[in-house]
Amino acid sequence: MKPEELLAIADRIVGWGRDGEQIEAVVGHSTETEVRVYEGEIESLSVAESQGVGIRVIADGRQGFAHAGTLDPDVLEETLAEARDNTVFGSPDEFFGLAEPDGVAPPELDLYNEALLSFSTEAKIDLALELERAVRSGDPRIVGVESADYGDAVGADAIATTTGIRSWGRDTSCYLTAYSLAAEGDETQTGFGFSVGREPGDLDVAAAGTDAVERATRMLGATQPPTERVTVVLDPFVTAQFLGIIGGTLSGEAVLKGRSLFADRLGDPVAAAGVTLVDDPTNPEAFTASDADGEGLATRRNLLISGGRLERFLHNSYTGRRSGGASTGSAVRGYASTPGVGCQALSLVPGKHSPDELIAGIANGVLVQGVSGLHSGVNPVSGDFSTGAEGLRIRNGELAEPVREITIASTLQRMLLDVVEVGSDLTWLPMSSAGVSLVVAEVTMSGA
């Protein structure tokens, strides 16, 4: 459906409002395609379409919510009635209230490319097959490809409220991803590679295939090193995951719930002077860019940490109001949920040196190319950080032997303060955080 049609549905629902109540209607529609190939054949092909509505009602200081996975006119009225009924069961909260226009103009972003709509199913299959061939032919030690996938999505949504919010948007996205198997003797290692874009012409089969090959083959012969304290270089994909955890601690929701290690630290130095952290969904290069947040307010560039100093937390309307401030345009949600708070396009401001230059300056360290158990191994309240890892030793400024079965440990607080340098290789990934090579000193590497 066209976004204008979705907005018309949202407007209709809002028009059913009664005196003394606020109504918010969020309407969404999307189509997704996924292709997986294996050994030159199609293993699976799926095309899915989804649509639905979420309705929030606030009356007498109470909030009710209901959603439905259809846009049938009769169901819309039933969903509104259910949301109204649910207000009876909600606890009163003086801070409940819908977002109101705040005068911030929405950015002009081009996130929709019609070239994706005309790209045939056969061409999508061909891309996945081409990727599988690229991985298989990339190195004689590649003995298999677990999967080679193509996927895409076309989405549109709209929000209308009785407080005057009217917003709609649409976007396209697509990706390639491959998981490889490399073997030497009795040893097998895995690797992955991917490429993302707004339309198929943005995708780079060669780059995705090369990454999948190199990440697997360079780990062959990996051993468990002795325990010691080292300087680590986080691969961009690992940094993106690390930043996702940091971003979660910088939400107003986490602060209000007592789940942030940075509560009460606004204005304090919390990272090295070279660390500047920004959440900027107005950047069209970000895979998760958007012109409006989950409440229909214009997105904006939020400076979270500047030169190591904590500048702000992210808020939706509720957490901003409860904290004595306002929304930062950081509400996140789908039509089936009420608004939460979250980073939308988080990144470190890049430095001046390439990954090779960063490594050249390290006498004893580890390039961490992958981690496991990251979320279970990190406590966002205490900051304790301990996760399984694998990668390559760095000796006298050069990459050396591969290592595995190691644990890297520190605290989030200490790691931010021990950042030595941020690389120049900013990489936007299919997640809400961008990647970049990150050098962190004095990390405990536990091994044999």
Side-chain angles (χ1 to χ4, degrees), residues 107-120:
E108 295 184 6
L109 302 178
D110 184 12
L111 308 177
Y112 180 83
N113 195 316
E114 290 192 351
L116 179 59
L117 278 64
S118 59
F119 199 63
S120 68

PDB file of all heavy atoms in Angstrom, residues 107-120:
ATOM      1  N   PRO A 107      13.847  15.679   8.397  1.00  0.00           N
ATOM      2  CA  PRO A 107      14.884  15.723   7.361  1.00  0.00           C
ATOM      3  C   PRO A 107      14.342  15.196   6.038  1.00  0.00           C
ATOM      4  O   PRO A 107      13.401  14.395   6.006  1.00  0.00           O
ATOM      5  CB  PRO A 107      15.960  14.782   7.910  1.00  0.00           C
ATOM      6  CG  PRO A 107      15.206  13.811   8.758  1.00  0.00           C
ATOM      7  CD  PRO A 107      14.094  14.607   9.383  1.00  0.00           C
ATOM      8  N   GLU A 108      14.926  15.662   4.960  1.00  0.00           N
ATOM      9  CA  GLU A 108      14.535  15.169   3.639  1.00  0.00           C
ATOM     10  C   GLU A 108      15.476  14.029   3.260  1.00  0.00           C
ATOM     11  O   GLU A 108      16.620  14.249   2.878  1.00  0.00           O
ATOM     12  CB  GLU A 108      14.599  16.302   2.616  1.00  0.00           C
ATOM     13  CG  GLU A 108      13.589  17.416   2.870  1.00  0.00           C
ATOM     14  CD  GLU A 108      13.605  18.472   1.786  1.00  0.00           C
ATOM     15  OE1 GLU A 108      14.323  18.275   0.774  1.00  0.00           O
ATOM     16  OE2 GLU A 108      12.917  19.489   1.941  1.00  0.00           O
ATOM     17  N   LEU A 109      14.975  12.813   3.389  1.00  0.00           N
ATOM     18  CA  LEU A 109      15.784  11.626   3.150  1.00  0.00           C
ATOM     19  C   LEU A 109      15.214  10.824   1.992  1.00  0.00           C
ATOM     20  O   LEU A 109      13.992  10.649   1.884  1.00  0.00           O
ATOM     21  CB  LEU A 109      15.822  10.741   4.409  1.00  0.00           C
ATOM     22  CG  LEU A 109      16.359  11.387   5.679  1.00  0.00           C
ATOM     23  CD1 LEU A 109      16.275  10.401   6.836  1.00  0.00           C
ATOM     24  CD2 LEU A 109      17.796  11.843   5.481  1.00  0.00           C
ATOM     25  N   ASP A 110      16.091  10.327   1.147  1.00  0.00           N
ATOM     26  CA  ASP A 110      15.684   9.477   0.025  1.00  0.00           C
ATOM     27  C   ASP A 110      16.025   8.034   0.384  1.00  0.00           C
ATOM     28  O   ASP A 110      17.121   7.550   0.105  1.00  0.00           O
ATOM     29  CB  ASP A 110      16.396   9.905  -1.252  1.00  0.00           C
ATOM     30  CG  ASP A 110      15.925   9.116  -2.467  1.00  0.00           C
ATOM     31  OD1 ASP A 110      14.898   8.410  -2.355  1.00  0.00           O
ATOM     32  OD2 ASP A 110      16.584   9.205  -3.518  1.00  0.00           O
ATOM     33  N   LEU A 111      15.076   7.347   1.020  1.00  0.00           N
ATOM     34  CA  LEU A 111      15.305   5.989   1.509  1.00  0.00           C
ATOM     35  C   LEU A 111      14.557   4.950   0.692  1.00  0.00           C
ATOM     36  O   LEU A 111      14.575   3.767   1.035  1.00  0.00           O
ATOM     37  CB  LEU A 111      14.869   5.889   2.980  1.00  0.00           C
ATOM     38  CG  LEU A 111      15.451   6.943   3.919  1.00  0.00           C
ATOM     39  CD1 LEU A 111      14.884   6.764   5.320  1.00  0.00           C
ATOM     40  CD2 LEU A 111      16.972   6.867   3.932  1.00  0.00           C
ATOM     41  N   TYR A 112      13.927   5.395  -0.390  1.00  0.00           N
ATOM     42  CA  TYR A 112      13.072   4.508  -1.186  1.00  0.00           C
ATOM     43  C   TYR A 112      13.584   4.500  -2.616  1.00  0.00           C
ATOM     44  O   TYR A 112      13.761   5.550  -3.231  1.00  0.00           O
ATOM     45  CB  TYR A 112      11.638   5.016  -1.133  1.00  0.00           C
ATOM     46  CG  TYR A 112      10.633   4.204  -1.911  1.00  0.00           C
ATOM     47  CD1 TYR A 112      10.061   3.066  -1.359  1.00  0.00           C
ATOM     48  CD2 TYR A 112      10.249   4.586  -3.192  1.00  0.00           C
ATOM     49  CE1 TYR A 112       9.132   2.322  -2.069  1.00  0.00           C
ATOM     50  CE2 TYR A 112       9.317   3.851  -3.911  1.00  0.00           C
ATOM     51  CZ  TYR A 112       8.768   2.725  -3.345  1.00  0.00           C
ATOM     52  OH  TYR A 112       7.837   1.991  -4.046  1.00  0.00           O
ATOM     53  N   ASN A 113      13.858   3.306  -3.131  1.00  0.00           N
ATOM     54  CA  ASN A 113      14.363   3.183  -4.489  1.00  0.00           C
ATOM     55  C   ASN A 113      13.490   2.197  -5.265  1.00  0.00           C
ATOM     56  O   ASN A 113      13.454   1.001  -4.948  1.00  0.00           O
ATOM     57  CB  ASN A 113      15.822   2.700  -4.479  1.00  0.00           C
ATOM     58  CG  ASN A 113      16.498   2.899  -5.823  1.00  0.00           C
ATOM     59  OD1 ASN A 113      15.923   2.604  -6.866  1.00  0.00           O
ATOM     60  ND2 ASN A 113      17.735   3.400  -5.791  1.00  0.00           N
ATOM     61  N   GLU A 114      12.806   2.707  -6.259  1.00  0.00           N
ATOM     62  CA  GLU A 114      11.875   1.873  -7.030  1.00  0.00           C
ATOM     63  C   GLU A 114      12.580   0.797  -7.837  1.00  0.00           C
ATOM     64  O   GLU A 114      11.924  -0.139  -8.321  1.00  0.00           O
ATOM     65  CB  GLU A 114      11.019   2.749  -7.937  1.00  0.00           C
ATOM     66  CG  GLU A 114      10.013   3.607  -7.181  1.00  0.00           C
ATOM     67  CD  GLU A 114       8.984   4.240  -8.095  1.00  0.00           C
ATOM     68  OE1 GLU A 114       9.165   4.136  -9.343  1.00  0.00           O
ATOM     69  OE2 GLU A 114       8.011   4.825  -7.590  1.00  0.00           O
ATOM     70  N   ALA A 115      13.902   0.904  -7.996  1.00  0.00           N
ATOM     71  CA  ALA A 115      14.625  -0.134  -8.733  1.00  0.00           C
ATOM     72  C   ALA A 115      14.448  -1.498  -8.076  1.00  0.00           C
ATOM     73  O   ALA A 115      14.475  -2.533  -8.755  1.00  0.00           O
ATOM     74  CB  ALA A 115      16.104   0.223  -8.821  1.00  0.00           C
ATOM     75  N   LEU A 116      14.242  -1.511  -6.769  1.00  0.00           N
ATOM     76  CA  LEU A 116      14.039  -2.777  -6.071  1.00  0.00           C
ATOM     77  C   LEU A 116      12.733  -3.431  -6.497  1.00  0.00           C
ATOM     78  O   LEU A 116      12.644  -4.657  -6.621  1.00  0.00           O
ATOM     79  CB  LEU A 116      14.046  -2.547  -4.554  1.00  0.00           C
ATOM     80  CG  LEU A 116      13.827  -3.781  -3.673  1.00  0.00           C
ATOM     81  CD1 LEU A 116      14.905  -4.831  -3.934  1.00  0.00           C
ATOM     82  CD2 LEU A 116      13.837  -3.396  -2.201  1.00  0.00           C
ATOM     83  N   LEU A 117      11.710  -2.622  -6.763  1.00  0.00           N
ATOM     84  CA  LEU A 117      10.398  -3.165  -7.107  1.00  0.00           C
ATOM     85  C   LEU A 117      10.415  -3.856  -8.462  1.00  0.00           C
ATOM     86  O   LEU A 117       9.653  -4.809  -8.683  1.00  0.00           O
ATOM     87  CB  LEU A 117       9.343  -2.062  -7.113  1.00  0.00           C
ATOM     88  CG  LEU A 117       8.760  -1.662  -5.754  1.00  0.00           C
ATOM     89  CD1 LEU A 117       9.817  -1.063  -4.843  1.00  0.00           C
ATOM     90  CD2 LEU A 117       7.614  -0.681  -5.929  1.00  0.00           C
ATOM     91  N   SER A 118      11.272  -3.399  -9.358  1.00  0.00           N
ATOM     92  CA  SER A 118      11.307  -3.986 -10.699  1.00  0.00           C
ATOM     93  C   SER A 118      12.346  -5.098 -10.822  1.00  0.00           C
ATOM     94  O   SER A 118      12.518  -5.665 -11.913  1.00  0.00           O
ATOM     95  CB  SER A 118      11.590  -2.893 -11.735  1.00  0.00           C
ATOM     96  OG  SER A 118      12.834  -2.258 -11.475  1.00  0.00           O
ATOM     97  N   PHE A 119      13.029  -5.420  -9.753  1.00  0.00           N
ATOM     98  CA  PHE A 119      14.046  -6.461  -9.777  1.00  0.00           C
ATOM     99  C   PHE A 119      13.346  -7.818  -9.677  1.00  0.00           C
ATOM    100  O   PHE A 119      12.666  -8.106  -8.700  1.00  0.00           O
ATOM    101  CB  PHE A 119      15.009  -6.265  -8.606  1.00  0.00           C
ATOM    102  CG  PHE A 119      16.321  -6.962  -8.757  1.00  0.00           C
ATOM    103  CD1 PHE A 119      17.192  -6.638  -9.784  1.00  0.00           C
ATOM    104  CD2 PHE A 119      16.711  -7.939  -7.852  1.00  0.00           C
ATOM    105  CE1 PHE A 119      18.418  -7.261  -9.909  1.00  0.00           C
ATOM    106  CE2 PHE A 119      17.927  -8.572  -7.968  1.00  0.00           C
ATOM    107  CZ  PHE A 119      18.784  -8.238  -9.005  1.00  0.00           C
ATOM    108  N   SER A 120      13.511  -8.648 -10.677  1.00  0.00           N
ATOM    109  CA  SER A 120      12.741  -9.889 -10.775  1.00  0.00           C
ATOM    110  C   SER A 120      13.199 -10.931  -9.762  1.00  0.00           C
ATOM    111  O   SER A 120      14.336 -10.901  -9.266  1.00  0.00           O
ATOM    112  CB  SER A 120      12.858 -10.475 -12.175  1.00  0.00           C
ATOM    113  OG  SER A 120      14.182 -10.933 -12.418  1.00  0.00           O
TER     114      SER A 120
END
